[in-house]
Amino acid sequence: MAKILKLNAISPMADEIFSKYEYTDQCENPDGIMVRSAVMHGMTAGKNLLAVARAGAGTNNIPSAEYAEKGIVVFNTPGANANAVKELVICELFLGGRNVIDAIDWVKSIKDEGENLPKLVEKGKNKFVGCEIAGKTLGVIGLGAIGVMVANSASSLGMKVAGVDPYLSTPNAVALTSSAKLVSSREEIYRTADFITLHVPLNNETKNMINGDTIAKMKDGVVIINNSRGELVDTDAMLSALESGKVARYITDFPDAKLVGVKNAVCVPHLGASTPEAEDYCAVMAANQLTDYIENGNIKNSVNYPAAAMPRSGAARLCVHHKNIKEMLSKILNIISSQNINVANMQDASKGEYAYLICDTDEVPSADAVERIRAIDGVIRVRLI
């Protein structure tokens, strides 16, 4: 029986999927790990660990590169929480246009005025005049599952939408509303947008992408929304921009101590995917990916290994994690053919410096053949299912 370690509270929707496994928050040397926010850097990966499934999109809390070297697959669940995040972004667009939060706080401050309160409200409401979002230009940086949904919803609300994503996939391009304008650079977004929303992963290219130089290229009074990662924005540059009024409002789902309490900084306590629906979707998707990999060797939505999946055929399935180097496939197949075993079906895919082979055979390869494959220079891990 395979063992799955649960590092965080996970939606009970996953329980049924793992019903034939040992699924607990206390187990040694697990075959798989389910995780949400627990930081795994520094954790010791047991010798049996095959994969980690993150019930969410970001995997910064998992040492994915280190695990790739060990043949441990890291899964995420792109799109499972997309609707929840999209709805929060739409809410934040209205908060960015209308000075609702400050207005509500002001009303609370005059709550003891009794019968005089309605008159004070009518007299003071002009201090909180905002703008409508219809007709304004929204710049969407990153057109993945969430970015496309935001773009489509904003367009239906009457906003002009411009989006940029150098890695735009064909399915997302098809899903994007025809009224959205695709631009070739972030600079065009900075120059033309009244509202900017960020939907990109955190990496060396995107860290501090919103900084003093890029803010200077933006319209005066721009509203910036960040529900991706706090480190995408240079906090000190944002503080200066808020103070000068260059940025009218910065709304982030990643509070920073320097920003909390600052005028026109709206700090939301990481609520993007905090809905029971999103938690259910993420848990189910992560659990299904993990079980499919453990039982069938199929990889879908991995951040450190290529996608490779096919129906089972033949008597056995050989799964090989290997470096993406020349002649690797021929060396593996030569060993299989030396056993007079026929290959029923196979798939080999690469992602950067790593590759993954699924090979279904009509007969079960011998232990000696498996060990010979394991001994090939550049082979990282071999599993026979």
Side-chain angles (χ1 to χ4, degrees):
M1 177 187 294
K3 297 193 293 185
I4 308 297
L5 174 63
K6 179 168 49 172
L7 290 182
N8 296 103
I10 303 290
S11 164
M13 294 288 286
D15 294 356
E16 184 176 350
I17 298 170
F18 291 129
S19 60
K20 60 183 178 181
Y21 290 23
E22 180 183 332
Y23 179 47
T24 174
D25 57 5
Q26 296 289 333
C27 71
E28 294 184 3
N29 217 359
D31 300 279
I33 292 177
M34 286 281 283
V35 63
R36 289 178 61 206
S37 59
V39 176
M40 297 184 64
H41 295 277
M43 286 182 59
T44 300
K47 60 182 178 63
N48 290 344
L49 186 61
L50 298 173
V52 176
R54 160 82 163 94
T59 56
N60 298 73
N61 57 320
I62 305 168
S64 302
E66 175 189 329
Y67 283 1
E69 283 289 331
K70 298 177 179 180
I72 299 171
V73 179
V74 177
F75 295 101
N76 68 346
T77 56
N81 60 10
N83 188 68
V85 178
K86 177 217 58 176
E87 289 188 1
L88 182 61
V89 174
I90 297 303
C91 170
E92 291 166 344
L93 286 172
F94 289 116
L95 293 180
R98 306 292 287 272
N99 202 357
V100 175
I101 293 178
D102 289 345
I104 291 172
D105 288 342
W106 173 70
V107 172
K108 290 178 181 177
S109 75
I110 61 172
K111 66 183 178 66
D112 296 329
E113 293 295 330
E115 294 181 359
N116 196 37
L117 189 144
K119 292 181 181 179
L120 290 174
V121 166
E122 290 303 316
K123 184 177 180 180
K125 68 181 183 181
N126 63 342
K127 295 183 294 185
F128 305 101
V129 172
C131 70
E132 298 178 16
I133 66 171
K136 303 299 186 297
T137 297
L138 171 65
V140 183
I141 299 179
L143 292 168
I146 298 170
V148 167
M149 292 180 75
V150 168
N152 293 349
S153 294
S155 178
S156 70
L157 291 170
M159 299 192 80
K160 301 172 184 175
V161 177
V164 61
D165 191 333
Y167 309 107
L168 179 62
S169 69
T170 299
N172 286 341
V174 171
L176 183 65
T177 175
S178 60
S179 62
K181 176 185 178 183
L182 285 174
V183 300
S184 60
S185 70
R186 297 174 191 164
E187 280 65 29
E188 188 167 349
I189 298 289
Y190 300 149
R191 181 174 54 83
T192 61
D194 303 296
F195 294 75
I196 295 174
T197 181
L198 309 178
H199 300 285
V200 296
L202 176 64
N203 53 40
N204 291 334
E205 179 189 355
T206 60
K207 184 176 182 180
N208 288 335
M209 60 182 285
I210 304 300
N211 53 51
D213 292 337
T214 55
I215 291 172
K217 298 174 182 177
M218 298 177 189
K219 284 186 172 183
D220 292 343
V222 67
V223 173
I224 300 176
I225 297 172
N226 177 14
N227 285 274
S228 291
R229 283 292 180 267
E231 296 87 346
L232 298 175
V233 175
D234 182 327
T235 300
D236 291 333
M238 181 57 67
L239 288 169
S240 297
L242 288 169
E243 183 178 5
S244 69
K246 177 70 176 182
V247 174
R249 194 160 287 119
Y250 175 51
I251 306 173
T252 178
D253 206 23
F254 300 89
D256 183 308
K258 292 182 179 180
L259 288 166
V260 176
V262 172
K263 184 176 175 58
N264 293 324
V266 179
C267 296
V268 181
H270 201 184
L271 296 181
S274 294
T275 69
E277 295 90 347
E279 291 180 8
D280 287 348
Y281 298 149
C282 287
V284 168
M285 187 172 178
N288 281 329
Q289 289 172 171
L290 189 54
T291 56
D292 192 22
Y293 177 67
I294 290 173
E295 296 175 13
N296 301 304
N298 289 327
I299 296 180
K300 300 173 185 175
N301 296 318
S302 170
V303 300
N304 63 350
Y305 271 94
M310 64 185 192
R312 294 287 293 269
S313 59
R317 171 164 287 189
L318 192 68
C319 302
V320 184
H321 299 256
H322 61 89
K323 291 294 183 71
N324 185 19
I325 54 181
K326 293 179 179 179
E327 299 183 1
M328 178 62 72
L329 188 57
S330 63
K331 291 178 182 178
I332 295 171
L333 293 178
N334 283 340
I335 292 173
I336 294 173
S337 64
S338 72
Q339 302 279 302
N340 293 319
I341 293 176
N342 182 57
V343 173
N345 198 4
M346 63 174 286
Q347 184 177 146
D348 189 63
S350 64
K351 185 174 187 175
E353 61 180 304
Y354 299 100
Y356 181 66
L357 168 68
I358 302 175
C359 182
D360 285 351
T361 56
D362 287 343
E363 298 176 49
V364 180
S366 68
D368 176 68
V370 172
E371 287 304 315
R372 287 167 60 195
I373 293 171
R374 190 172 282 124
I376 297 173
D377 187 33
V379 167
I380 298 169
R381 189 170 201 164
V382 181
R383 268 206 306 154
L384 182 62
I385 304 174

